[in-house]
């Protein structure tokens, strides 16, 4: 909001300069964006009167004028088309210093234009740095005193201050609100606008009906007849409007805009003779049309509040009036309105039509709900003074039950001291709140006040709002600086748990990139990845591709692979930690945290020393095993051959922990690869996060000083036998001192029967207190071979 400093100082005049005022309101939360001078620096310019204006003898577009400066007469050559006898204008005498557009100055000298001497210059507004417009020389009122310094006459030694208000401070969107604020900050007296009731001289009224009183609980109107449409807005009002960024239009419109700036109450004036029937405040019917004051035609939505007459909408309530019923130069009778609209009913409506007006800006933030009658009386007094006329009685239509009620907030001294970090004296608390216009009453409890909030402070609703006001007025820069003190005991952390952060770091170290995919997927894709659960459908999905809640993270990751391959990214490694949503058959949903990963493409990044082998099942299985080892409980996990609807029938393993299924790993099913248009084999894993992150507490064991003993066995087994089965049997039969069972070779081919394979297994023993002898090792070997033969039909390879 822009405002004139001189206008503000008419209401409150603290003993500080412009910069001090700017700094003060900024520190109080009303940030100043810009400060501009009302006019550029110049001197030697007075109010002049053109006595005569005759055609230049040697130029068609020039006139030779006789100009009076009050004490002397001068001949001035002027090219302005509006230069004429009797006009009072700005006259720069010889020696005057004027500004230039580039910030410099020049001095007016005696000159000769087309052989005619000129002693001075008649000035336009842009030539004095008052505005950017140039429509000819300035036209001053007929009563302007000739010879008066133009800076003094036009109050040009003024600053235009632009304040950027936060949405909660709608009370400062007026010069009265700003004056109230400056008065509070400086403990200075404020001259508030007096608006006594204007007595009616005619009985004319215009009926008003509130069909939507929840959105418009109060509507005040007044008829004024027989105004003078040829009257002009006084200079002082034009100046205040223009310095506030509002263009002067005509006296009636200017007065309503002036009230908006002065009191903060938006108003509108209708041409009474263009209204039909009475005023009805109602919601628009969908599709109703209205031509606005700016000339554009809008099609109204059903949620838009309108001011209507018998023929239809005549204004968008709180936003903009309609052009057909607007005031014009022929208007003689007007209907003034001043209403209170619920901020919720106006918020966002202007933006939905691509509009933003001074009225909507204020109504969205909240207008004083007790201001309407005062505003209409103030406007009436100004209009009668400027355009004359006869005023009818003020007609107020109100729904008391729908109006906001007076708010009361309890303020405690202890809470003030706690939040401001110092003990503010009770007398100062009461003094600040009273200066803010709040009613302060002590309660029966010591150190407690009951504070009544005025109608113009929509932003004060709870105790902390009052404390914020105390801090703001006291001065944020005056508050003490203290180091916060608090008891901060260290929260115990379970050492057996592996944090998700460490899981992410481990996967990142393995070359994976973290992905975040949508929790909602397409129903058909969901069924291709999970035939066990029926996914939960959304009641109102964003699109068909996001219609159900995922029961697995795989669909999102595979779609991400598809996205990357379509953009020529052949090597992809991604993981995601998130939730899957499993139905229970009832109203409950199981939200299970899982970690999933996907790899495809070359095993190594492209490079001169890198191979071109593609990843396979054992690459992703190895990555998964490195995750399982983070908690030191890798021996509790096992991989069991299984089937999964989304995985290759021959490359699928169920992940188990102590016999309980916790996830799957394998190659994506070839049919899915074909359906999704993928150009390489894709390998995936998904594991329950709780099972992955639950580890074992590390325990110290003394390192044996005695040598290890190792024996290698070449076993021939059926090709369906997994090494995991051999490992489990071997560890069980090899005795308590078995340290490691390692698979170091797999062979199928010549010398091995079809359907069989050779597994070379290394067994390592170590005793903590002595060296194991051959008899003990041989006995253990015999037990292992015998158990493998009976349980797996294993034989030793010759």
């Amino acid at each position: 909001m822009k405002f004139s400093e001189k206008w503000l100082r008419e209401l409150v005049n603290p003993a500080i300069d412009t910069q001090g005022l700017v700094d003060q309101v900024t520190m109080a939360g009303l940030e100043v964006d810009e400060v501009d001078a009302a006019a550029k620096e110049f001197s030697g310019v007075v109010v002049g009167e053109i006595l005569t204006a005759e055609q230049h003898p040697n130029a068609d577009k020039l006139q030779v004028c006789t100009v009076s400066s009050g004490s002397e007469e001068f001949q001035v050559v002027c090219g302005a088309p509006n230069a004429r006898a009797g006009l009072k204008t700005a006259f720069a005498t010889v020696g005057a210093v004027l500004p230039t557009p580039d910030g410099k100055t020049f001095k007016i000298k005696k000159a000769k234009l087309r052989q005619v001497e000129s002693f001075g210059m008649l000035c336009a507004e842009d030539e004095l740095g008052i505005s950017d417009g140039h429509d000819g020389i300035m036209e001053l009122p007929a009563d302007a005193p000739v010879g008066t310094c133009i800076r003094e006459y036009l109050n040009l030694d003024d600053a235009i201050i632009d304040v950027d208000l936060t949405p909660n401070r709608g009370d400062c969107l007026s010069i009265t609100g700003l004056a109230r604020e400056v008065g509070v900050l400086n403990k200075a007296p404020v001259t508030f606008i007096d608006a006594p009731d204007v007595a009616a001289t005619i009985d004319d009224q215009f009926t008003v009906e509130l069909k939507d009183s929840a959105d418009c609980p109060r509507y005040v109107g007044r008829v004024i007849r027989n105004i003078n449409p040829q009257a002009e807005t006084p200079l002082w009002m034009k100046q205040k409007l223009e310095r506030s960024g509002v263009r002067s239009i005509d006296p009636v419109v200017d007065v309503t805009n002036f009230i908006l700036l002065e009191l903060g109450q938006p108003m509108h004036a209708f041409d009474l003779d263009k209204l039909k029937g009475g005023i009805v405040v109602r919601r628009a019917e969908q599709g109703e049309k209205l031509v606005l004051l700016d000339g554009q035609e809008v099609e109204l939505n059903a949620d838009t509040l309108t001011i209507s007459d018998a023929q239809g909408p005549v204004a968008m309530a709180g936003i903009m009036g309609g052009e057909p019923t607007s005031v014009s130069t022929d208007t003689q009778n007007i209907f003034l309105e001043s209403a209170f609209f619920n901020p919720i009913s106006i918020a966002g409506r202007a933006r939905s039509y691509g509009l933003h007006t001074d009225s909507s800006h204020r109504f969205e933030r909240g207008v004083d709900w007790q201001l309407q009658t005062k505003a209409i009386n103030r406007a009436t007094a100004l209009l009668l003074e400027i355009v004359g006329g006869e005023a009818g009685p003020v007609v107020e239509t109100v729904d008391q039950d729908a109006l906001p009620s007076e708010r009361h907030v309890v303020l405690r001294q202890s809470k003030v001291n706690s939040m401001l970090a110092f003990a503010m004296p009770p007398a100062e608390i009461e003094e600040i709140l009273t200066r803010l216009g709040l009613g302060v009453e002590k309660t029966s409890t010591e150190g407690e006040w009951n504070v009544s909030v005025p109608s113009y402070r929509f932003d004060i609703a709870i105790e902390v709002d009052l404390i914020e006001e105390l801090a703001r007025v006291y001065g944020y820069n005056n508050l003490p600086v203290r180091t916060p003190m608090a008891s901060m005991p260290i929260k115990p952390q379970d050492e057996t748990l592996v944090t998700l952060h460490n899981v992410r770091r481990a996967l990142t170290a393995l070359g994976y990139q973290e992905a975040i995919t949508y929790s909602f997927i397409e129903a058909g894709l969901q069924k291709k990845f999970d035939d066990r659960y029926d996914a939960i459908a959304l009641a109102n999905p964003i699109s068909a591709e996001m219609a159900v809640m995922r029961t697995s993270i795989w669909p999102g990751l595979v779609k991400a692979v598809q996205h990357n391959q379509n953009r020529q990214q052949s090597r992809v490694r991604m993981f995601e930690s998130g939730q899957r949503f499993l139905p229970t058959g009832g109203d409950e949903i199981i939200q299970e945290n899982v970690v999933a990963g996907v790899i495809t493409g070359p095993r190594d990044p492209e490079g001169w020393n890198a191979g071109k082998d593609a990843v396979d099942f054992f690459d992703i299985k190895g990555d998964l095993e490195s995750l399982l080892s983070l908690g030191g409980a890798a021996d509790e996990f096992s991989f069991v051959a299984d089937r999964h609807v989304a995985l290759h029938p021959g490359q699928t393993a169920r992940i188990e922990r102590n016999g309980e299924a916790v996830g799957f790993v394998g190659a994506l099913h070839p049919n899915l690869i074909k359906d999704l248009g993928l150009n390489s084999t894709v390998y995936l894993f998904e594991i329950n996060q709780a099972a992955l992150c639950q580890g074992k507490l590390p325990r110290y064991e003394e390192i044996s000083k005695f040598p290890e003993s190792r024996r290698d066995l070449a076993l021939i087994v059926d090709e369906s036998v997994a090494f995991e089965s051999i490992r489990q049997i071997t560890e069980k039969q090899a005795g308590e001192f078995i340290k490691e069972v390692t698979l170091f070779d797999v062979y199928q081919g010549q010398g091995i029967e079809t359907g069989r394979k050779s597994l070379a297994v290394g067994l390592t023993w170590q005793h903590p207190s002595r060296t194991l002898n051959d008899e003990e090792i041989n006995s253990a070997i015999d037990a292992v071979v015998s158990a493998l033969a009976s349980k797996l039909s294993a034989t030793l390879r010759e």
Side-chain angles (χ1 to χ4, degrees), residues 545-559:
E545 287 74 26
M546 304 177 74
V548 298
M549 302 176 74
R550 67 186 182 191
T551 62
S552 170
I553 293 182
W554 282 348
L557 284 178
V558 172
K559 291 291 285 184

Side-chain angles (χ1 to χ4, degrees), residues 51 543 627:
L51 302 177
S543 65
L627 288 185

Side-chain angles (χ1 to χ4, degrees), residues 75-91:
Q75 177 176 285
V76 178
V77 177
C78 178
N82 62 329
R84 61 188 182 274
L87 176 66
K88 291 185 178 179
T89 186
F91 174 43

Side-chain angles (χ1 to χ4, degrees), residues 419-529:
M419 296 198 71
L420 300 186
F422 83 108
M424 181 177 284
E428 186 161 10
I429 292 176
E430 294 179 11
E431 191 260 345
I432 289 175
L433 295 179
T434 302
R435 280 194 285 127
L436 284 166
L438 283 72
V440 182
E441 179 184 352
K442 288 186 177 181
T443 67
S444 57
T445 304
E446 184 67 25
E448 186 176 282
W449 298 271
N450 185 24
V451 180
S452 57
V453 182
S455 56
Y456 54 82
R457 289 306 298 267
F458 274 78
D459 58 315
I460 299 178
I462 56 178
E463 186 177 27
V464 292
D465 294 333
L466 293 173
I467 297 173
E468 180 185 9
E469 290 299 295
L470 293 174
R472 208 171 51 78
V473 176
Y474 184 81
Y476 292 121
N477 53 333
N478 296 324
L479 294 175
V481 178
R482 294 187 179 178
T483 303
M485 297 182 65
S487 175
M488 301 178 67
I490 298 175
K491 185 178 180 180
Q493 185 173 349
D494 190 345
E495 292 185 55
T496 64
L497 293 178
V498 178
T499 64
L500 184 59
H501 175 69
N502 285 339
V503 172
R504 288 169 172 157
R505 288 184 61 185
L507 284 166
T508 303
L510 291 168
Y512 288 74
Q513 291 181 312
E514 185 170 11
I516 299 176
T517 62
Y518 287 109
S519 298
F520 312 130
I521 59 175
E522 193 264 324
L525 185 65
Q526 161 65 28
K527 290 180 179 179
K528 292 179 181 179
F529 276 87

Side-chain angles (χ1 to χ4, degrees), residues 232-507:
E232 292 188 2
T233 303
L235 181 63
W236 62 267
M237 184 177 287
K238 283 185 178 181
Q239 289 177 350
K240 290 177 177 178
L241 290 173
E242 290 169 356
R243 291 176 194 178
S244 298
V246 178
R247 182 171 58 91
S248 175
I249 299 174
D250 62 59
V252 176
V253 175
D254 288 351
V255 165
T256 59
N257 285 334
F258 181 79
I259 299 301
L260 176 140
L261 295 171
E262 183 183 61
L263 299 179
Q265 172 65 51
M267 296 185 66
H268 186 64
F270 296 100
D271 187 322
L272 181 63
D273 297 327
K274 297 176 182 177
L275 293 174
K276 306 299 179 185
I279 289 292
V280 180
V281 182
R282 62 172 175 84
R283 295 272 182 169
E285 295 179 8
Q286 186 66 39
E288 282 188 300
K289 294 183 179 180
L290 174 65
V291 178
L292 299 175
L293 287 172
D294 61 3
Q296 70 167 309
E297 183 180 65
V298 295
E299 188 172 300
L300 300 174
N301 298 319
D303 64 347
T304 302
L305 191 66
T306 69
I307 310 299
S308 302
D309 66 2
Q311 294 183 334
V314 295
M316 292 173 67
I319 299 174
M320 187 181 292
E323 190 273 334
T325 57
S326 63
V327 174
S328 67
T329 54
D330 299 324
T331 298
Q332 293 185 335
N333 307 306
I334 63 173
F335 176 69
L336 275 181
E337 71 158 20
S338 176
F340 170 73
F341 299 110
N342 187 331
I344 300 300
S345 68
I346 306 299
R349 301 299 188 275
R351 288 188 294 278
S352 69
Y353 294 96
L355 301 171
H356 181 79
T357 65
D358 289 335
S359 292
S360 67
H361 187 76
R362 286 161 174 79
F363 278 124
E364 287 177 344
R365 286 152 177 76
V367 169
D368 184 351
W369 52 276
Q370 294 183 346
L371 186 61
Q372 289 69 48
T373 301
K374 177 179 179 179
I376 209 161
N377 277 312
R378 173 68 169 157
T380 302
L382 289 171
L383 284 170
L384 295 180
E385 179 184 335
I386 298 170
V387 298
E390 301 165 303
V394 174
V395 177
E396 179 183 40
T397 308
V398 61
D399 182 349
Q400 293 290 347
D401 294 335
L403 282 172
S405 57
E406 186 177 357
R407 292 191 300 275
H408 294 268
V409 181
V410 174
L411 178 65
R412 295 164 294 170
Q413 176 81 57
S414 59
K415 190 68 172 178
V416 174
N417 297 348
S418 172
M419 296 198 71
L420 300 186
F422 83 108
M424 181 177 284
E428 186 161 10
I429 292 176
E430 294 179 11
E431 191 260 345
I432 289 175
L433 295 179
T434 302
R435 280 194 285 127
L436 284 166
L438 283 72
V440 182
E441 179 184 352
K442 288 186 177 181
T443 67
S444 57
T445 304
E446 184 67 25
E448 186 176 282
W449 298 271
N450 185 24
V451 180
S452 57
V453 182
S455 56
Y456 54 82
R457 289 306 298 267
F458 274 78
D459 58 315
I460 299 178
I462 56 178
E463 186 177 27
V464 292
D465 294 333
L466 293 173
I467 297 173
E468 180 185 9
E469 290 299 295
L470 293 174
R472 208 171 51 78
V473 176
Y474 184 81
Y476 292 121
N477 53 333
N478 296 324
L479 294 175
V481 178
R482 294 187 179 178
T483 303
M485 297 182 65
S487 175
M488 301 178 67
I490 298 175
K491 185 178 180 180
Q493 185 173 349
D494 190 345
E495 292 185 55
T496 64
L497 293 178
V498 178
T499 64
L500 184 59
H501 175 69
N502 285 339
V503 172
R504 288 169 172 157
R505 288 184 61 185
L507 284 166

Side-chain angles (χ1 to χ4, degrees), residues 165-242:
L165 297 171
T166 52
N168 64 314
R169 294 309 306 272
D171 60 299
C172 289
L173 284 169
S174 66
I175 203 72
T176 299
L178 288 168
R180 184 191 297 115
E181 191 77 6
V182 172
V184 169
L185 297 174
N186 292 278
K187 300 183 180 180
V190 180
T191 304
F192 290 105
I193 305 301
D194 186 24
D197 293 342
V198 177
T201 55
I202 58 175
D203 296 329
D204 294 29
Q205 298 182 21
F206 202 68
T207 61
V208 175
E209 180 185 359
L210 301 181
K211 280 193 174 180
D212 203 327
S213 60
D215 292 333
C216 177
R218 173 175 281 145
Y219 190 99
V220 180
R222 182 172 225 165
V223 171
I224 301 179
R225 289 191 177 276
N226 301 319
I227 66 171
N228 176 13
Q230 306 304 319
E232 292 188 2
T233 303
L235 181 63
W236 62 267
M237 184 177 287
K238 283 185 178 181
Q239 289 177 350
K240 290 177 177 178
L241 290 173
E242 290 169 356

